[in-house]
Amino acid sequence: MAEVIEKTEQRIVDEGLDKGADKLTGDQIARVIKAVLENETGARLKVYVDTCVHCGLCSDACHIYLSQNRNPKFSPAGKVKRTMGEILKKKGRVSPEFIRDAAEVAYTECNLCKRCVQYCPFGIDVAYILLIVRRICHKLGVTPLYIQDTAHSHSVTMNQMWIKEDEWIDTLQWQEEDAREEMPNLRIPLEKEGADVMYSVIAPEPKFQPNLIYYTAILMNTAGINWTMPATPGWDNSDMAMFTGDNEIMGRIKRAQFDAAARLKVKKIVMGECGHAFRSVYDVGNRWLGWKMPPIPIVHAIEFYYDLLKAGKIKIREKYKKSVTLHDPCNVVRGAGLHEKARYVINEICENFIEMHPNREHNYCCNAGGGVINCGPPFKNKRVKSNSVKAKQIRDTGAEILITPCHNCHSGMEDIISYYNVNMHTKFIIDILYEVMEKPGD
Amino acid sequence: MNSPDSFGAIYNFVSGPLVWVAFIVFVGGSIYRFYDLIKLVNRKEKFIYSYMSWKYSLRSIIAWVTPFFPVNMRKHPVLTVVTYVFHLCLLITPVFVLGHGVLIKNAWNVRWWALPESIADFMTLMVIIGCIFFLVRRLVFREVKYVTTMSDYFLLAIVAAPFVTGFLCYHQVGNYDLLLILHILAGEIMLMAIPFTRLSHMLFAALTRAYIGSEFGKVRHARDW
């Protein structure tokens, strides 16, 4: 049956991949692969490749493998075999068609969630290997069209959504004005030097979900936080360049953010409920810039809410009544260990919390992160079909509300819920926190 | 092999100079692999040192040598049991089997602790069964078969050969002289293969665990098992 499905599956058309590969020559491919492998990889890749005993134990870690009828080509080791394995075996002498297909594997069949790292007896980092493949594809100009567009936006505007500087400021002032109807003294302080907190968001918030900025403004003002947001580039912490393999642009974006925080002389950067952005500022981008850990402390929203609730700066009027479950996002749970804090926050604000299984570090990936959802409509069907285990996992909780404190997870889950007809709605923590917290006017 | 003299000459050669060659290649090769690796880290990924942590390295290694502690081991109980028994028998049997102890005593007059013969025999059988199990896994399970290459079968054969021949020798099945020489040769081949094939996971597994354990513990504050 699996074979029948495979045969009827149509080849996905993506201009970025197809036309990018058309322009390649064998020599160019070999040259770029050699340069990346020689200049940008070292002991890790070598040991990973030499040590893997092909035991297949990573397979059960992968939501895509589990959802695709356990087709071995989607197992973590299977994906390495189809990409880096061939590249190394043929010493970089691979065809343009191969690069096109390897790009599809690396960009759309792996979310870099690192769950498989926890299932490998040797701790081999498959996500790292597939990131090297993405790096090669980026350098060869074979990247999916939609995610490449966001990388272009980063390089031109320093934000992901082509938002101009005046639009950004205007959006914040519009949210401030709206929120003042509810809380007359509320401010969204722009460019306030010496504030304790610089709040940063991902560009899709001002573009599509400005209400999240509104809620956060209410939260900040209620808790009496001395905060600010930059009016200059550096306000957007998202980073699709990290996922296309464009490390140079990634470095520029992260630098803009750290520079904005340094210029404003803030004590820390607090960020909204986003996972990949956290990975970029906390783990990846900082290292590219030569910082072992971020130069300015980075506090993810989960931890920020935790601190506020723990310190009693935010009080709960009445707990949220509907039953909720939590999807642990890879980048802040497997990437920062915020799972217990997330549970504390949810139990403080919700009456009925139901765990999904597996959970915490072992939660299944949303199949949207790692830039996969950003590869856009051409890959949407494949992405949603490749995560039936997730649909089952959330359906089994019987909860009414699915809390996903990460933007990519959030969007991915909405697609899964609608495709599989799961009777559930997704919410961010702040959606609920805003609803249940005590506000000064109450 | 027909005349006792030619057997003696071959036996003396494989159990004398060749043993030295095998051990020199094994030890020297292992040292070289480590040296080469450290050189590579120093040249290209020196940052690795700054993330390494003894505490989290050990945490990760201990977690992964403790049977049934990692989630994935619990998901594959049969494989977990076979893997532990296989690796323990593989490492212990050759060192403490009586026959090897006698050779050491004859060569250097050193007293060597020896396993009771029946136990060593049982452990040898466990290694052989382990090899068969791994072979069947490679042939039958789709996710293993897909990532298996010819070299994996070859490695299994290299590992199985000294134990199969040793088992046959002990039970005096077949041509004893021939099997004895094959047994010694097979053992030497296996030793020499360790540093230069995927058997090198014997050398590097602790290092890969230590690195990812440090990253997970110190930076990611998450469990890696």
Side-chain angles (χ1 to χ4, degrees), chain A residues 38 41 43-44 50 52-55 57 81 118-119 121-122 282 287 292 334 336-337 361-362, chain B residues 33 37 44-45 50-51 72 76 137-138 142 146-147 152 198 201 208-209 215 219-220 223 225:
Chain A
E38 277 184 10
T41 72
R44 281 183 296 169
D50 287 352
C52 174
V53 291
H54 305 162
C55 67
L57 279 173
K81 178 190 159 105
Q118 291 179 297
Y119 284 70
F122 304 141
Y282 177 75
R287 296 192 195 197
K292 182 181 167 190
R334 213 169 293 121
E361 292 104 322
H362 287 276
Chain B
R33 287 300 307 270
L37 184 70
K44 286 175 160 182
E45 290 170 310
S50 61
Y51 288 95
N72 207 14
H76 300 90
R137 247 188 121 242
R138 287 209 183 282
R142 280 212 304 166
Y146 186 77
V147 292
D152 294 311
R198 262 193 292 287
H201 68 265
T208 52
R209 275 254 70 88
E215 284 274 2
V219 179
R220 311 173 145 255
R223 296 170 297 169
W225 54 84

Side-chain angles (χ1 to χ4, degrees), chain B:
Chain B
M1 215 70 58
N2 296 327
S3 73
D5 285 348
S6 69
F7 167 75
I10 297 172
Y11 177 80
N12 284 339
F13 178 66
V14 294
S15 66
L18 261 190
V19 176
W20 283 104
V21 171
F23 271 96
I24 289 168
V25 171
F26 167 59
V27 175
S30 300
I31 292 171
Y32 168 76
R33 287 300 307 270
F34 276 118
Y35 167 78
D36 197 46
L37 184 70
I38 290 166
K39 212 173 71 180
L40 194 59
V41 172
N42 286 342
R43 194 156 61 85
K44 286 175 160 182
E45 290 170 310
K46 235 178 167 169
F47 74 89
I48 284 178
Y49 295 122
S50 61
Y51 288 95
M52 292 306 276
S53 136
W54 280 104
K55 180 180 158 193
Y56 291 115
S57 294
L58 289 173
R59 182 180 84 157
S60 179
I61 290 167
I62 290 167
W64 278 90
V65 295
T66 309
F68 292 102
F69 188 68
V71 169
N72 207 14
M73 285 194 202
R74 276 173 259 158
K75 278 176 173 276
H76 300 90
V78 177
L79 178 65
T80 301
V81 170
V82 175
T83 304
Y84 270 94
V85 171
F86 169 81
H87 279 94
L88 283 174
C89 294
L90 179 70
L91 292 173
I92 293 171
T93 318
V95 180
F96 295 114
V97 70
L98 182 66
H100 294 181
V102 170
L103 288 175
I104 291 167
K105 176 99 167 57
N106 289 345
W108 294 320
N109 202 21
V110 178
R111 279 175 60 89
W112 202 257
W113 190 82
L115 287 165
E117 286 192 48
S118 58
I119 292 186
D121 194 39
F122 177 75
M123 289 169 77
T124 305
L125 199 58
M126 288 299 109
V127 174
I128 296 168
I129 291 173
C131 286
I132 294 169
F133 178 83
F134 291 138
L135 177 69
V136 170
R137 247 188 121 242
R138 287 209 183 282
L139 291 168
V140 173
F141 291 172
R142 280 212 304 166
E143 77 272 26
V144 193
K145 192 175 181 183
Y146 186 77
V147 292
T148 296
T149 58
M150 273 315 288
S151 66
D152 294 311
Y153 294 117
F154 202 61
L155 280 184
L156 258 183
I158 288 181
V159 175
F163 292 86
V164 173
T165 50
F167 187 77
L168 294 176
C169 275
Y170 176 71
H171 291 281
Q172 312 258 342
V173 179
N175 183 335
Y176 180 81
D177 288 356
L178 175 65
L179 282 168
L180 181 63
I181 285 168
L182 287 179
H183 171 68
I184 300 171
L185 272 175
E188 287 159 351
I189 289 171
M190 180 175 161
L191 263 185
M192 291 192 282
I194 290 171
F196 303 107
T197 62
R198 262 193 292 287
L199 296 180
S200 64
H201 68 265
M202 176 179 162
L203 309 173
F204 296 137
L207 292 185
T208 52
R209 275 254 70 88
Y211 172 66
I212 214 72
S214 298
E215 284 274 2
F216 266 71
K218 220 166 142 187
V219 179
R220 311 173 145 255
H221 311 296
R223 296 170 297 169
D224 62 334
W225 54 84

Side-chain angles (χ1 to χ4, degrees), chain A residues 194-360:
Chain A
D196 294 335
V197 166
M198 177 177 109
Y199 185 65
S200 76
V201 295
I202 62 166
E205 289 198 18
K207 191 92 176 176
F208 307 116
Q209 297 152 300
N211 59 313
L212 294 173
I213 298 175
Y214 175 114
Y215 296 159
T216 303
I218 298 275
L219 182 81
M220 292 283 189
N221 281 271
T222 305
I225 302 296
N226 180 11
W227 69 302
T228 186
M229 292 181 89
T232 60
W235 56 265
D236 175 19
N237 51 30
S238 74
D239 186 354
M240 281 303 134
M242 166 175 74
F243 287 148
T244 61
D246 194 343
N247 297 343
E248 289 77 7
I249 297 294
M250 168 182 76
R252 282 179 57 210
I253 313 167
K254 294 307 109 173
R255 194 190 192 106
Q257 173 152 67
F258 292 137
D259 279 352
R263 179 172 54 75
L264 293 170
K265 301 188 174 66
V266 295
K267 296 198 180 82
K268 60 189 171 192
I269 299 171
V270 172
M271 51 181 292
E273 291 173 54
C274 182
H276 91 276
F278 184 84
R279 179 191 192 126
S280 176
V281 272
Y282 177 75
D283 188 4
V284 185
N286 54 312
R287 296 192 195 197
W288 176 263
L289 293 172
W291 294 92
K292 182 181 167 190
M293 297 303 277
I296 294 166
I298 307 282
V299 180
H300 188 266
I302 292 173
E303 197 175 3
F304 187 62
Y305 306 151
Y306 171 87
D307 290 342
L308 292 180
L309 289 166
K310 202 85 189 172
K313 286 185 178 166
I314 291 291
K315 297 208 164 43
I316 302 307
R317 187 168 31 82
E318 193 185 8
K319 283 190 182 183
Y320 192 67
K321 291 270 187 292
K322 288 183 181 168
S323 57
V324 301
T325 185
L326 169 71
H327 166 81
D328 290 284
C330 67
N331 287 316
V332 295
V333 170
R334 213 169 293 121
L338 295 182
H339 40 281
E340 297 306 339
K341 287 185 175 175
R343 280 164 179 74
Y344 175 85
V345 170
I346 290 170
N347 280 316
E348 283 293 299
I349 64 176
C350 299
E351 247 177 35
N352 186 4
F353 170 53
I354 305 165
E355 286 281 8
M356 61 174 75
H357 296 280
N359 55 48
R360 296 178 170 84

